[in-house]
Amino acid sequence: MAARRRTVASPLEVLMLTTPVCRLLGIDAPIVCAAFGPWDEVDLAAAVCQAGGLGSLGTAVRPLPELRKQWARLRQLTDRPFAINHTSRPLDEEAFQATIEERPKAISFHLAVPPELITRAHDAGILWIQQVSSRRQADEALRAGADVIVAQGGEAGGQGGDVGTMVTVPDVVDMAGEVPVLAAGGIADGRGLAAALTLGAQGVLMGTRFLASEEMSVSQAWKSRIVESAASDTVKAVGSERILPPFNLPGSAGVPRCLRTPLVDALREHPEQVDPAETVPRVMAAILAGGGEEYLPFTGQSTALVHEILPAGEIVSRTVREAEAALAAASRAIGQGS
């Protein structure tokens, strides 16, 4: 669906591209920041929200009292809409029920499609954003009543499928009808947003680009690797199920994409040599401390497009400006060819 332009009263006072999904989610720009599982991203989420996008908070492996503190801190930093994310690796029922009681604007979910949870969210007046990486998941999400579908291509960091974004997005858009679709995977600038809009999506979800933001709590070493890496430096972490939390919902699927590390290589090539009893506590301790880049640094192929660490607000506004420029340039090119 084509975007329309309007001037909005955003903190950045910039001209925003808006689409129907913006009105649905209560945001100014069609940009959603990915949830980064157990890593603390409260400051990042607040900055994205204040810039007009939709910030997100992950819940994976964090104890509920800590999650409640994160939610309270985010509400102190912004009164704008945000999403709380859950996954099936594993689903924490206590944390999910607390999320229902917290009443965020939206709950986002990926790795499985849970119809019962979608119903519970809707009963509480909460929108549901469902990330999918296959036609099967997209069909399940649409039948379950998801309000927004994120069509994630295999270029994405974190856990996902294998089919590329350029195929996945229009395929899901064709299935979705009036349900808005966001594109994810390989998108890190305004050209990606412009491309997503021309494929029929109404916006984008970006992860790797926001990992390399000033506000994100991961280590400087991880951010520097993102800036310095090529797309080919990321690989699917085959064998990582040996050390990652198990799935606990039917239909769950997803293999993470990471920058290469000795652990990623060992899991791919010699998984039997990786001792979960020794490795898991060490990896989880590093992750919960904001690190983990030496183990499983989830990163997408869009790392090739990230050349500097920026404030999140600048990422949002620059992406919008670049998308406007890309769409204008495409229009001029078509006009010159006629």
Side-chain angles (χ1 to χ4, degrees):
M1 182 175 294
R4 71 179 175 87
R5 295 162 51 142
R6 66 180 176 91
T7 302
V8 298
S10 75
L12 296 180
E13 296 184 351
V14 296
L15 186 66
M16 291 289 188
L17 287 171
T18 65
T19 64
V21 78
C22 296
R23 293 188 291 278
L24 176 66
L25 296 174
I27 57 179
D28 299 321
I31 297 171
V32 177
C33 178
F36 298 119
W39 286 277
D40 185 331
E41 59 181 310
V42 174
D43 291 338
L44 170 59
V48 171
C49 291
Q50 288 299 102
L54 187 74
S56 303
L57 295 180
T59 58
V61 308
R62 293 277 181 181
L64 182 54
E66 191 170 336
L67 295 177
R68 290 189 190 277
K69 290 180 181 178
Q70 289 186 2
W71 303 341
R73 186 156 64 92
L74 181 57
R75 289 194 186 277
Q76 290 174 347
L77 293 172
T78 181
D79 60 358
R80 298 177 69 85
F82 64 91
I84 294 177
N85 176 262
H86 290 268
T87 82
S88 61
R89 188 162 226 172
L91 173 70
D92 183 328
E93 168 57 33
E94 184 183 26
F96 185 83
Q97 180 56 38
T99 300
I100 293 290
E101 296 165 2
E102 183 67 22
R103 298 289 200 279
K105 180 69 173 183
I107 292 174
S108 62
F109 204 94
H110 64 287
L111 304 182
V113 179
E116 301 83 0
L117 302 186
I118 296 175
T119 298
R120 286 168 61 187
H122 285 165
D123 288 346
I126 302 170
L127 295 171
W128 191 272
I129 302 173
Q130 179 68 50
Q131 184 166 295
V132 304
S133 58
S134 67
R135 283 185 61 88
R136 174 186 61 80
Q137 285 188 334
D139 180 65
E140 291 176 355
L142 291 166
R143 286 190 285 109
D147 300 289
V148 179
I149 305 292
V150 177
Q152 181 201 48
E155 301 98 320
Q159 302 176 75
D162 299 304
V163 180
T165 302
M166 285 288 288
V167 173
T168 299
V169 172
D171 193 20
V172 173
V173 166
D174 289 345
M175 299 173 64
E178 295 300 311
V179 178
V181 174
L182 303 176
I187 300 169
D189 58 27
R191 294 170 296 179
L193 172 54
L197 294 173
T198 62
L199 291 174
Q202 294 188 21
V204 297
L205 181 147
M206 298 193 298
T208 299
R209 172 62 274 193
F210 283 115
L211 273 174
S213 67
E214 291 183 0
E215 293 86 353
M216 185 54 194
S217 65
V218 298
S219 68
Q220 185 65 34
W222 188 348
K223 296 178 186 182
S224 296
R225 282 201 67 189
I226 291 173
V227 170
E228 297 163 1
S229 294
S232 57
D233 293 327
T234 71
V235 295
K236 285 287 190 177
V238 177
S240 57
E241 68 276 3
R242 188 172 180 84
I243 63 169
L244 288 175
F247 296 119
N248 66 347
L249 291 181
S252 298
V255 177
R257 180 179 292 280
C258 303
L259 291 166
R260 290 185 61 180
T261 67
L263 177 59
V264 170
D265 288 344
L267 288 167
R268 285 170 60 89
E269 299 164 11
H270 303 288
E272 73 285 351
Q273 296 180 9
V274 178
D275 179 9
E278 184 276 330
T279 304
V280 171
R282 177 162 45 92
V283 172
M284 290 311 304
I287 289 174
L288 292 175
E293 75 282 347
E294 70 272 39
Y295 300 122
L296 290 173
F298 294 174
T299 304
Q301 290 181 337
S302 65
T303 186
L305 306 176
V306 179
H307 306 301
E308 55 186 330
I309 299 167
L310 294 170
E314 175 62 19
I315 292 171
V316 172
S317 61
R318 182 181 293 191
T319 299
V320 169
R321 294 195 304 269
E322 290 173 348
E324 290 185 323
L327 292 169
S331 179
R332 289 194 299 271
I334 293 170
Q336 293 170 358
S338 61

